[in-house]
Amino acid sequence: MPVRDLLSTSSKLSPFQPRYEHLLLLVCVLGTVLPLGVDCNPSAENHQINGTQKKSFPVLSFDYLHVRLPFEIALWILLASLMKLGFHLIPRLSNIVPESCLLIVVGLLVGGLIKVVGEAPPVLDSKVFFLCLLPPIILDAGYFLPIRAFSENTGTILMFAVIGTLWNSFFMGGMLYAVCQIPGTGLENVGLLPSLLFGSIISAVDPVAVLAVFEEIHINELLHILVFGESLLNDAVTVVLYHLFEEYAGVGSVTFMDVLLGVICFLVVSLGGVFMGILYGLIAAFTSRFTSHTRVIEPLFVFLYSYMAYLSAEVFHLSGIMALIACGVVMRPYVEANISQKSHTTIKYFLKMWSSVSETLIFIFLGVSTVAGPHQWNWIFVGCTLLFCLVSRVLGVIGLTSIINKFRIVKLTTKDQFIIAYGGLRGAIAFSLGFLLDKHHFPMRDMFLTAIITVIFFTVFVQGMTIRPLVELLAVKKKQETKRSINEEIHTQFLDHLLTGIEDVCGHYGHHHWKDKLSRFNKKYIKKCLIAGERSKEPQLIAFYHKMEMKQAIELVESGGIPKIPSAVSTVSMQNIKPKRALPQLSKGKEEEIRNILRSNLQRTRQRLRSYNRHTLMADPYEDAWNQMLIRRQKARQLEKRMTNYLTVPANHPDSPTMMRSRLSSDPQGYSLKLNSGNVPAIVVDPATPQSPESMKLQEESSKPGEEDQGIVMRAKLPESSRTDDNVFTPGEDSPKEQRLIRCLSDPGPPPEEEKDDEYQAFLN
Amino acid sequence: MFTGVYNFIYFLISLTVSHSQITRLYSRFTSLDKGENGTLCREDFQRIPELAINPLGDRIINTFFPEGEDQVNFRGFMRTLAHFRPIDDHEKNKDPNVSEPLNSRNNKLLFAFRLYDLDKDDKISRDELLQVLRMMVGVNISDDQLGSIADRTIQEADQDGDSCISFTEFIKVNFYTSP
């Protein structure tokens, strides 16, 4: 297939000079477009075996129709991903132009190409959009929503989402109706209700577009959560208004009763969506309690329950987006307490991957649909739409902020208001909603679509491109790239308690009071049901601390040893270890020796690899190894304090070979070394019983006084040669001269005295 | 993650010195004052149910009572609560000779700092930190674990190497901006 060839050539070309990348892009585009043109000519051969004539047996046949649909889908996704790849290869472009703009341009090009080839370009089907492309993005946003920032600004966000959207819709609809009534514009057939409907479609800020643009400008958290939260929560308003106006546009009039029903409908839609999400979230959390034996499918539960929440909400015409957000938010703390570290990583990366692909596809399809769709251009209508969009957004933000600031503690400055107003981007949701309109009821649908697309283009291109220099110009506060430290966590909790107490003294039932009540209820009842085992009683602080330690331990090992420890990690004990040892250079002879040993051992390893069993993921020995290490580390830190000369001394065998660099590999069967030569320090992890600490044996050198401090030595029990399938975890890296394993975690190890060793062993066992 | 902290600084409870607020607080004061003698003693505070289950309950109560005294009148009550007033922008242009208003940012942070620092030596030692952690975390966690958390906390914050957190280090590690 031509595509395959193109891909292989492109992968060879990419590391070469930058000029080739343009060629690569062009080639990819052509390669993916042409088969789409090809498919329309149905293959000549058919299975018309009449049985009368015997044809020769076909050795090679061409049957494209058979795989057409999956093939095209895969091709589109591939195109999207290759485009994304391409942009980041071109260095300066991604700084000036946001990705969404580039993708729309690509969509335009592809659509143009398809049209040139003679095909009808595919349009962004609303069903595909709402059921397949939108949910991953929303789930990604909801699962990783910063809860604290969101809950502190809920009032503001709701005001903007509900009242702001209502204002926008009515202002736009009303003004457009007024403009249409002006004689001479040729738009008299646009009634009030269709105008209002159009207003409601176009007024909603779009989460996809906002995410795409705001992700790249790294604005401070407050503004980000305000605009983004607004874009998520206005879905309920949009849904209600859309259905309301669509229903009654046919009838032609709306009574007061209808408006009242509309308000009730809004409450039902939003609260119902949230309730549905919470329900599914709790069920998901409960399910995750029992997954300790089937870790492989844990991420699947998260995705499936969330998607079901979305679909169930859509069944009842409730707000699917709010259901999805609620599900993600509710599910997350409990699920994360229950699932393994690997599942957590999987969920994170899958969500990011899907949402990224979805976003790319959406923008490309927007471009293609622009080329494809029937257009009806009307200067006045489109121009007025654009104008009123901007005006209404600015007025709405200013007006609402003046009201909101009376209740806010951290007031919104003019700069903030400007960014909020400027960040009101429209996107694909508006287009899809417009596309859903029935042509019979709305004869001006094409004009609407044209106007919607124009507004989308304007906001994404003009506003999207200029927001970054504006942010720089106005010196808006950027996001602080800081990792959460234990100090902050302690202090935040401390402040929460303090302020709750003060509120209680004042008799004031404010934000903190209710938050405290909720967290108490949570701790007392809910956590017991939804979190498995001992972790249900774990206080938040401890959980946070464990997570942090685990993360740093993993980072330490992956960076390969002590020399790269960031200063924040090094314990007090590290400061006392004398010279910062630079690793000595390997001599050539030693290098060769190392290579030979590695080669011979690895070859043997390959023959002994077990076949991978899909159904049982190895109970991760590394995870428990880490836990053990962490516990040991803490213990050692205390022991260290009692030591005077805690640094151990060189090993007995200076000529032993080096170990391999430690790696946190995903394949636990990787490194079963044939440990025949000397003491290769290793920690033997018995895969059969990963839970038992006895499987980890560690023997320390006894120190010889008077020797220079050389670091920590870990000696392991040598595995018998028959137990070749053991997972051998060889941490650290050391110099070849001395048999020294610098412990990869920054703790100095136990003191050299024998009795301390026993205490240590006793602790381990 | 700083919004919580900034909210504290710009304070959560918008207790402006408005007439209505003062009246409200006075009525609260009188409702708490069971002995009806115009002052509050510690038992009056301890009668507030939510304060009893608050881990920092005792410390908060102690802040209301100035050094050595057992009674606090309404003025003292208001003075402590005034720490949580919003920082008024008009106050910024005040006469620099006047001492810093109670609710300036520095003073708020000092207030929080003093809640950690029980022996009032202007440093948070490891033991003080351990006590705070123990209060917040409950009884199920072992001393060793708390100890290691305390060690790590101090080590993150400590810059001059005295194994204690001074006020400047406290501000720097929690707020990342100089006061």
Side-chain angles (χ1 to χ4, degrees), chain A residues 370-386:
Chain A
T370 312
V371 175
H375 289 302
Q376 186 187 336
W377 182 269
N378 184 311
W379 277 101
I380 301 174
F381 189 76
V382 173
C384 288
T385 309
L386 206 53

Side-chain angles (χ1 to χ4, degrees), chain A residues 41-293:
Chain A
N41 312 324
S43 340
E45 45 68 57
N46 272 313
H47 307 288
Q48 289 170 4
I49 301 178
N50 297 325
T52 51
Q53 290 171 339
K54 182 166 183 239
K55 294 194 191 135
S56 59
F57 189 76
V59 173
L60 189 66
S61 51
F62 180 82
D63 185 4
Y64 179 66
L65 284 179
H66 182 58
V67 297
R68 183 177 158 191
L69 189 61
F71 192 84
E72 285 186 358
I73 295 176
L75 214 51
W76 275 110
I77 299 180
L78 193 60
L79 171 70
S81 315
L82 286 172
M83 286 303 119
K84 227 174 150 72
L85 207 74
F87 295 146
H88 290 282
L89 289 175
I90 305 174
R92 266 159 314 166
L93 197 60
S94 44
N95 285 338
I96 309 174
V97 187
E99 215 174 79
S100 40
C101 302
L102 292 171
L103 288 170
I104 295 185
V105 169
V106 167
L108 287 172
L109 284 175
V110 172
L113 273 170
I114 296 183
K115 220 170 187 170
V116 161
V117 172
E119 289 309 314
V123 194
L124 182 60
D125 183 16
S126 293
K127 211 163 105 176
V128 166
F129 175 74
F130 279 115
L131 294 182
C132 301
L133 292 179
L134 192 59
I137 301 179
I138 306 294
L139 180 60
D140 180 37
Y143 197 76
F144 294 110
L145 198 68
I147 302 290
R148 236 193 139 77
F150 190 78
S151 61
E152 278 164 11
N153 293 300
T154 308
T156 315
I157 294 177
L158 278 174
M159 277 285 274
F160 276 122
V162 176
I163 314 247
T165 314
L166 280 173
W167 156 259
N168 278 347
S169 320
F170 283 105
F171 182 80
M172 291 261 328
M175 294 300 282
L176 277 175
Y177 179 64
V179 165
C180 290
Q181 295 310 101
I182 298 175
T185 54
L187 295 166
E188 286 82 13
N189 57 343
V190 176
L192 178 62
L193 280 173
S195 315
L196 286 174
L197 178 61
F198 179 73
S200 72
I201 294 177
I202 197 75
S203 63
V205 178
D206 186 76
V208 179
V210 164
L211 260 180
V213 169
F214 271 54
E215 280 283 309
E216 298 183 359
I217 58 179
H218 297 298
I219 208 163
N220 68 37
E221 205 180 57
L222 173 66
L223 286 178
H224 186 242
I225 197 69
L226 281 180
V227 182
F228 183 60
E230 178 196 347
S231 69
L232 288 176
L233 294 185
N234 66 16
D235 179 59
V237 180
T238 313
V239 163
V240 170
L241 281 178
Y242 182 80
H243 285 298
L244 185 71
F245 290 133
E246 201 196 5
E247 283 284 316
Y248 294 114
V251 177
S253 67
V254 176
T255 65
F256 175 70
M257 197 60 200
D258 297 327
V259 173
L260 190 63
L261 282 177
V263 171
I264 299 179
C265 180
F266 166 70
L267 288 170
V268 167
V269 159
S270 50
L271 293 175
V274 171
F275 175 72
M276 187 79 78
I278 293 180
L279 189 66
Y280 274 96
L282 290 175
I283 299 178
F286 189 66
T287 313
S288 72
R289 187 181 167 177
F290 303 107
T291 56
S292 48
H293 299 288

